[in-house]
Amino acid sequence: MSESHEANRWADEGTSLAGYTLKKEEEEDFTFDEPCLKKQKTSSACLGHPTSLPSSESQVLRNELNMTWDMMELLSTLTCVERWVCVNIITLLREENTVPFIVRYRKEMINHMDADAIRDVQLVFEELCSLAKKTQSVIQTLKKDGVLTAELEQNLRSCRSADELDHVYSPYKKGSKLTKARRAKALGLEVAASAVLNTPHTLDLRTWVKPGTEGLSSVEEVATGVEHILADMIAKDPETLTHVKTLCENSFVSIQSSVSKSALKEREQKSVQDIDKFHLYFDFTCNIQRIQPHQTLAINRGESLKILTVKVNIPDRVKSDFTRWCINNRWRLKTNAREDVHAIIRKAVEDSYKRLVLPFLTRSYRTKLTSAAEKESIAMFVRNLRQRLLVCPVRGCVIMGVDPGFRHGCKLAILSPTSQVLHTDVVYLHNSGQQKEADKLRHLMIKYSCTRIVIGNGTACRETESFFADLISRRCFHPLDVSYCITNEAGASIYSVSPEAVKEMPDLDPNLRSAVSIGRRVQDPLAELVKIDPKHIGIGTYQHDVSGGALKAALDSVVQECVSFVGVDINICSETLMRLVAGLNAGRARHIVEWREQNGLFINREQLKLVKGMGPKTYQQCAGFIRINPQTLHSIQGEVAKISPHPVPAVPDKSAPKKGKGKTCVNVPASFNPLDQTCIHPESYHVAQRFLSLVGGSADHIGSLVLRQCVESKVSTSSVEELARTVDTTPETLKLIIDGLTQPPGFDIRQNFGQADFKQGIVSMNDLRVGAVLTGRVDNTTLFGAFVDIGVGRAGLIHKSNITLDKLPVSQRRRSLALGPGERVEVRVLNVDTQRGRIGLDLIRVLQ
């Protein structure tokens, strides 16, 4: 399985007929030490969909960009995604389709790419659009300044990156010094420079000498001016830059960092504490191709703090090969010339390399390394967040959330199986009078039949865990079988004083709200964690060293993706969760809640069209991710009774012309549609009905064993492709329909993911021995390894060098799918440093 299958495993709402998969992706090589080129397996055909933008769209895009390169070709090259897929992705995005909708319901157009891959294409597309916009702005500025020439405009419109654009534009920026080449051109030496290249045999520099004029007073000054013009031409020539980059790619280019003189001086004065944090980079050299993202970010941080000095080392061989190629090939004189003219071109090439090309290469390498490191860091955040959000809920039991503390006590919140707050309290477990507090705990646990305790991992966590473990071992809660778990409480304090928490729990003290949040994180992680800014959930590393805007956009996108693919029951879903469904926002979610309060429960998806602000596009994007759960309809008897006697209001026909404030209306069905509880999109209901007729089933039997057997029998005798042709749809859509019809009622994709680990005993760090084999759960992953909770109060680190190919399941042998939060692993203890609280682990295997 590939990464896209791993992601689509839950984009598809799980696979109920695993034996009928449509494609088998190729495995990709696994490596941590070498850069991984992102590949997408794409076919040459587009499965019946257009392989180019509509002419009107194409013309609009060309007019918007006005660059010399073809957007789709360049996008395909930069993302390693075939052109027709790029065309379809951009078409879908420009039509305002959301990423979750595209990934689930337009698979055939994107060839089964996952959400991360789509976002990569989207990001590069936006960068290229931004480059084109900036180029246009630069051209207008230069035109206004009167320095724009046809050649300069062509060079600007040929730029394929912000670095290239800056390289061409920087000499003309206002406030910058007049470059040597521009000064020489101002003296009229451009004609002489052109003569050097085209008619060197006729060139006589003495004719340009003007005694008393600075820059022209001697033959030597004239020759120097001509060299500067030629050097500038060489440095801005696209073919030349491409060649020198190729030379660098075939050479050992390295990045080197060392401690700065100012940092050494400050360390002697003991005025800076952060210097030693960068001791690994005081004398650091690494091949530019092999440097790891976390090393790049650490070096950048050290440089910004003026602790490190950084330089890029390009071998001298590159200079000699570059000079030889320029003189003998690209900038070869067209006719025979005197030795002094050959000397001019030779000096111009050497000057161009040293003064212009080398700094450009250095900037370019640093920019690319930083960009790649930021993208890898953000990808790590995204993956960690996704796996944290998709932890399987712990349902059907009463839970006690505990926010541990010393001086101010441990805050308790007892929650019902539906996350309602039953009781809140504060107990002082780490002071005198512990027996009295233990009796109070026993009374509460037995009164509310609470068998699960969730302890936050903050201050006093270890001591609180020890207290509860002791009570459990002494059977204080008998006859209840009580167990506990530790959960990450990052962000709980911030959430407890947020407007969202105040609105939800107005009568509770902020400290008690934290305890409620801690308990709910285990009951329903997705519903609780979406209330918190993803940056505060405690995932990933170097979040302050990457672009804040890019990180927020990526994390917000993955939250929307998770909420959408899990789906929401619109009749019990909170406004906070609903606003994160694809196609919805805060305003539309508020209007849905208002409609629900005024009209009662939603009986079918069609009623969404009655909600204010729900146009055809919004409905299309969100409808497939919203569920009408029949169990909810039947359980809330009061709400059902409320909506039953009244006729359903008519749906405003948004396509009809408005007449004043009135609208032409159409009716919506007043009955429950069984398909509304599935992942099947309303646009495919007619196909689903045809398929049901074909297999001899009924929508009333969705999820039943009878219907599943009917479907399996039909699929076993005919392929999915044949059946898709029969019901006039694509194989991808039919597969989604099969999943929707055969999955049991209330199916939750998160049931395929691990739950929180509850335990009854405790192990301390002092009990660990080198060589001991343990099981644990990945708590967080970074660019240099994975931290694993092995139940001793301190997470151990599996360094990335110990995460090797043979230890991973086939489905995870991809760089971006190595390990993630929540995965259960078997590890061996390599070393224990009790003084510094560090545990080194070796990965034995991932527990499936």
Side-chain angles (χ1 to χ4, degrees):
M1 288 177 66
S2 71
E3 182 182 51
S4 62
H5 269 89
E6 180 72 12
N8 286 340
R9 173 163 65 97
W10 42 279
D12 291 337
E13 292 257 330
T15 303
S16 55
L17 293 176
Y20 308 116
T21 53
L22 299 176
K23 292 194 176 187
K24 183 179 179 182
E25 297 281 358
E26 295 174 347
E27 288 183 22
E28 185 166 327
D29 293 339
F30 170 89
T31 174
F32 265 102
D33 294 325
E34 296 182 6
C36 163
L37 187 66
K38 193 169 185 75
K39 300 173 185 174
Q40 293 296 331
K41 182 176 180 292
T42 55
S43 60
S44 57
C46 200
L47 303 179
H49 290 269
T51 55
S52 60
L53 286 166
S55 56
S56 56
E57 280 284 313
S58 181
Q59 188 59 45
V60 169
L61 193 56
R62 273 198 298 271
N63 293 340
E64 285 178 6
L65 298 176
N66 198 14
M67 301 293 279
T68 60
W69 35 260
D70 179 81
M71 165 62 87
M72 294 306 158
E73 288 294 340
L74 183 56
L75 188 62
S76 175
T77 301
L78 294 175
T79 59
C80 300
V81 176
E82 289 198 17
R83 189 182 191 279
W84 69 266
V85 183
C86 290
V87 168
N88 284 343
I89 290 172
I90 301 309
T91 302
L92 289 166
L93 291 173
R94 286 171 70 85
E95 290 173 354
E96 299 182 348
N97 292 290
T98 61
V99 172
F101 176 82
I102 294 171
V103 170
R104 178 173 286 176
Y105 299 114
R106 295 294 182 264
K107 287 181 180 298
E108 65 279 2
M109 294 186 71
I110 60 170
N111 205 48
H112 298 254
M113 284 172 63
D114 63 13
D116 289 338
I118 298 238
R119 277 192 291 270
D120 286 345
V121 174
Q122 182 181 19
L123 184 62
V124 174
F125 175 73
E126 288 171 355
E127 288 173 354
L128 291 175
C129 288
S130 176
L131 173 66
K133 188 175 180 181
K134 186 177 178 182
T135 301
Q136 192 59 36
S137 175
V138 166
I139 289 171
Q140 292 301 324
T141 300
L142 295 179
K143 189 180 290 184
K144 191 184 298 183
D145 295 342
V147 296
L148 184 69
T149 64
E151 182 185 4
L152 177 57
E153 182 174 358
Q154 180 73 8
N155 287 340
L156 288 168
R157 295 195 188 279
S158 299
C159 293
R160 298 188 171 207
S161 70
D163 267 351
E164 288 184 22
L165 180 64
D166 188 61
H167 180 63
V168 176
Y169 173 51
S170 57
Y172 303 93
K173 286 182 180 177
K174 285 184 179 177
S176 61
K177 293 180 182 178
L178 202 61
T179 63
K180 293 180 178 181
R182 289 182 67 188
R183 282 200 296 268
K185 287 178 181 179
L187 293 171
L189 293 176
E190 196 167 3
V191 176
S194 177
V196 169
L197 296 174
N198 299 311
T199 57
H201 62 287
T202 64
L203 180 65
D204 185 359
L205 295 181
R206 288 173 297 181
T207 61
W208 301 90
V209 175
K210 293 181 181 179
T213 302
E214 186 179 355
L216 298 175
S217 59
S218 66
V219 171
E220 289 74 16
E221 286 189 359
V222 171
T224 301
V226 171
E227 289 165 11
H228 290 159
I229 293 174
L230 291 172
D232 185 68
M233 292 170 64
I234 292 168
K236 290 175 182 172
D237 177 56
E239 186 179 337
T240 303
L241 291 178
T242 300
H243 182 76
V244 76
K245 288 176 183 177
T246 303
L247 291 175
C248 289
E249 287 171 4
N250 297 325
S251 304
F252 184 86
V253 179
S254 63
I255 186 168
Q256 178 182 343
S257 68
S258 56
V259 62
S260 66
K261 293 179 181 178
S262 60
L264 286 173
K265 190 174 180 180
E266 289 174 354
R267 185 164 67 167
E268 289 172 3
Q269 299 170 354
K270 298 183 178 178
S271 60
V272 178
Q273 302 294 324
D274 290 337
I275 293 178
D276 289 333
K277 292 180 181 178
F278 296 91
H279 71 276
L280 292 174
Y281 303 99
F282 284 179
D283 185 18
F284 176 84
T285 303
C286 184
N287 187 334
I288 216 92
Q289 300 291 341
R290 300 184 69 85
I291 188 169
Q292 298 301 302
H294 69 276
Q295 293 172 329
T296 299
L297 294 174
I299 287 172
N300 288 352
R301 185 189 293 179
E303 186 180 36
S304 67
L305 295 172
K306 295 183 169 51
I307 294 172
L308 301 175
T309 56
V310 186
K311 65 178 181 177
V312 175
N313 295 319
I314 297 176
D316 292 337
R317 186 171 64 83
V318 172
K319 178 184 176 181
S320 59
D321 290 350
F322 173 77
T323 303
R324 190 181 307 111
W325 178 82
C326 285
I327 293 173
N328 297 331
N329 296 84
R330 182 73 179 101
W331 302 95
R332 184 176 181 177
L333 301 182
K334 294 185 178 178
T335 62
N336 293 327
R338 299 185 308 276
E339 180 55 35
D340 60 327
V341 179
H342 280 289
I344 288 174
I345 194 69
R346 185 171 60 252
K347 289 178 181 178
V349 170
E350 291 174 352
D351 177 50
S352 178
Y353 180 81
K354 180 180 178 181
R355 184 167 55 86
L356 301 172
V357 174
L358 200 57
F360 166 73
L361 291 173
T362 299
R363 288 193 307 271
S364 180
Y365 274 120
R366 293 295 304 277
T367 301
K368 285 180 181 177
L369 287 177
T370 299
S371 176
E374 285 190 356
K375 285 181 180 178
E376 192 68 24
S377 182
I378 290 173
M380 186 71 69
F381 268 97
V382 163
R383 192 187 71 205
N384 289 352
L385 177 61
R386 180 185 290 123
Q387 296 200 231
R388 187 68 60 83
L389 293 176
L390 292 175
V391 170
C392 185
V394 175
R395 302 189 187 280
C397 62
V398 177
I399 281 182
M400 175 186 284
V402 181
D403 184 5
F406 288 119
R407 185 176 174 186
H408 299 292
C410 296
K411 279 67 68 178
L412 310 178
I414 298 180
L415 308 174
S416 73
T418 57
S419 295
Q420 300 302 309
V421 180
L422 301 177
H423 181 80
T424 58
D425 215 325
V426 180
V427 291
Y428 298 87
L429 307 180
H430 312 301
N431 301 328
S432 56
Q434 289 185 345
Q435 186 56 49
K436 178 182 176 182
E437 300 300 294
D439 292 340
K440 180 194 282 190
L441 285 172
R442 183 179 187 279
H443 170 74
L444 291 174
M445 297 287 283
I446 291 176
K447 177 180 178 181
Y448 294 102
S449 299
C450 180
T451 58
R452 297 284 185 271
I453 301 167
V454 179
I455 304 170
N457 67 344
T459 304
C461 167
R462 193 64 181 159
E463 292 76 8
T464 304
E465 178 189 13
S466 178
F467 187 89
F468 277 103
D470 180 60
L471 293 182
I472 292 170
S473 66
R474 292 193 283 116
R475 297 174 60 80
C476 286
F477 302 121
H478 185 75
L480 298 178
D481 183 20
V482 175
S483 57
Y484 70 90
C485 75
I486 309 294
T487 194
N488 192 319
E489 67 172 38
S493 299
I494 295 174
Y495 165 71
S496 67
V497 293
S498 68
E500 195 72 49
V502 172
K503 181 180 177 181
E504 186 180 1
M505 297 173 278
D507 301 326
L508 282 186
D509 178 87
N511 293 315
L512 295 173
R513 290 182 197 139
S514 293
V516 173
S517 178
I518 288 169
R520 286 176 174 172
R521 288 179 183 209
V522 172
Q523 279 191 319
D524 193 342
L526 179 62
E528 189 61 26
L529 292 176
V530 295
K531 303 173 185 175
I532 302 165
D533 188 327
K535 289 187 296 185
H536 301 314
I537 295 179
I539 51 171
T541 52
Y542 294 99
Q543 75 178 52
H544 301 295
D545 297 301
V546 302
S547 165
L551 178 61
K552 184 179 187 308
L555 296 183
D556 288 348
S557 183
V558 82
V559 170
Q560 182 193 63
E561 175 191 326
C562 290
V563 172
S564 299
F565 288 156
V566 169
V568 299
D569 183 342
I570 194 170
N571 287 316
I572 58 174
C573 177
S574 68
E575 184 180 323
T576 305
L577 191 62
M578 199 179 306
R579 69 177 62 149
L580 297 169
V581 174
L584 300 184
N585 54 29
R588 289 165 185 155
R590 185 173 65 253
H591 292 149
I592 289 174
V593 172
E594 288 172 354
W595 192 96
R596 192 171 67 192
E597 290 171 351
Q598 294 168 8
N599 300 278
L601 300 181
F602 284 87
I603 300 177
N604 53 55
R605 283 171 171 167
E606 285 288 309
Q607 286 181 306
L608 284 167
K609 296 177 180 177
L610 299 170
V611 177
K612 180 182 176 183
M614 187 69 68
K617 194 68 183 181
T618 301
Y619 178 77
Q620 179 198 42
Q621 297 301 303
C622 74
F625 305 116
I626 285 176
R627 306 283 188 273
I628 308 293
N629 192 332
Q631 294 177 341
T632 304
L633 291 174
H634 295 132
S635 63
I636 309 178
Q637 295 297 331
E639 292 293 333
V640 174
K642 178 180 175 183
I643 61 173
S644 295
H646 303 292
V648 180
V651 184
D653 184 359
K654 312 249 171 146
S655 62
K658 295 182 181 179
K659 296 181 180 179
K661 292 187 179 180
K663 294 182 182 180
T664 306
C665 296
V666 295
N667 292 323
V668 298
S671 58
F672 171 70
N673 186 339
L675 295 174
D676 287 343
Q677 63 185 304
T678 70
C679 60
I680 303 170
H681 197 281
E683 67 183 9
S684 301
Y685 280 3
H686 64 288
V687 179
Q689 293 292 355
R690 281 202 297 268
F691 181 72
L692 283 169
S693 300
L694 186 66
V695 301
S698 167
D700 294 329
H701 298 143
I702 283 176
S704 68
L705 179 60
V706 173
L707 182 56
R708 183 182 178 90
Q709 289 173 342
C710 289
V711 172
E712 288 179 349
S713 174
K714 194 68 178 178
V715 173
S716 63
T717 56
S718 303
S719 68
V720 173
E721 288 78 6
E722 290 176 10
L723 290 172
R725 285 193 292 271
T726 303
V727 295
D728 192 22
T729 189
T730 63
E732 290 80 6
T733 299
L734 181 58
K735 185 172 178 295
L736 191 65
I737 288 172
I738 290 173
D739 283 341
L741 296 176
T742 56
Q743 286 161 352
F747 176 80
D748 191 330
I749 61 170
R750 292 172 292 174
Q751 68 190 36
N752 295 324
F753 295 78
Q755 273 188 340
D757 287 324
F758 285 88
K759 55 187 178 180
Q760 295 182 317
I762 188 170
V763 180
S764 72
M765 194 169 169
N766 294 326
D767 297 326
L768 292 179
R769 295 291 179 268
V770 173
V773 176
L774 306 166
T775 60
R777 192 175 290 277
V778 177
D779 184 52
N780 192 17
T781 54
T782 67
L783 297 172
F784 51 83
F787 287 96
V788 179
D789 179 5
I790 52 175
V792 296
R794 284 276 184 175
L797 173 66
I798 308 176
H799 191 267
K800 63 174 190 171
S801 60
N802 292 320
I803 305 173
T804 55
L805 176 65
D806 57 307
K807 300 173 183 177
L808 295 172
V810 175
S811 61
Q812 291 173 243
R813 293 179 182 177
R814 290 284 298 268
R815 180 178 185 172
S816 56
L817 279 180
L819 288 176
E823 292 190 88
R824 294 185 66 245
V825 292
E826 188 174 59
V827 295
R828 180 181 290 106
V829 179
L830 294 179
N831 53 72
V832 181
D833 186 342
T834 53
Q835 190 172 4
R836 293 197 295 172
R838 293 185 177 181
I839 305 166
L841 302 173
D842 179 26
L843 176 66
I844 297 176
R845 63 192 176 106
V846 178
L847 301 174
Q848 298 284 30

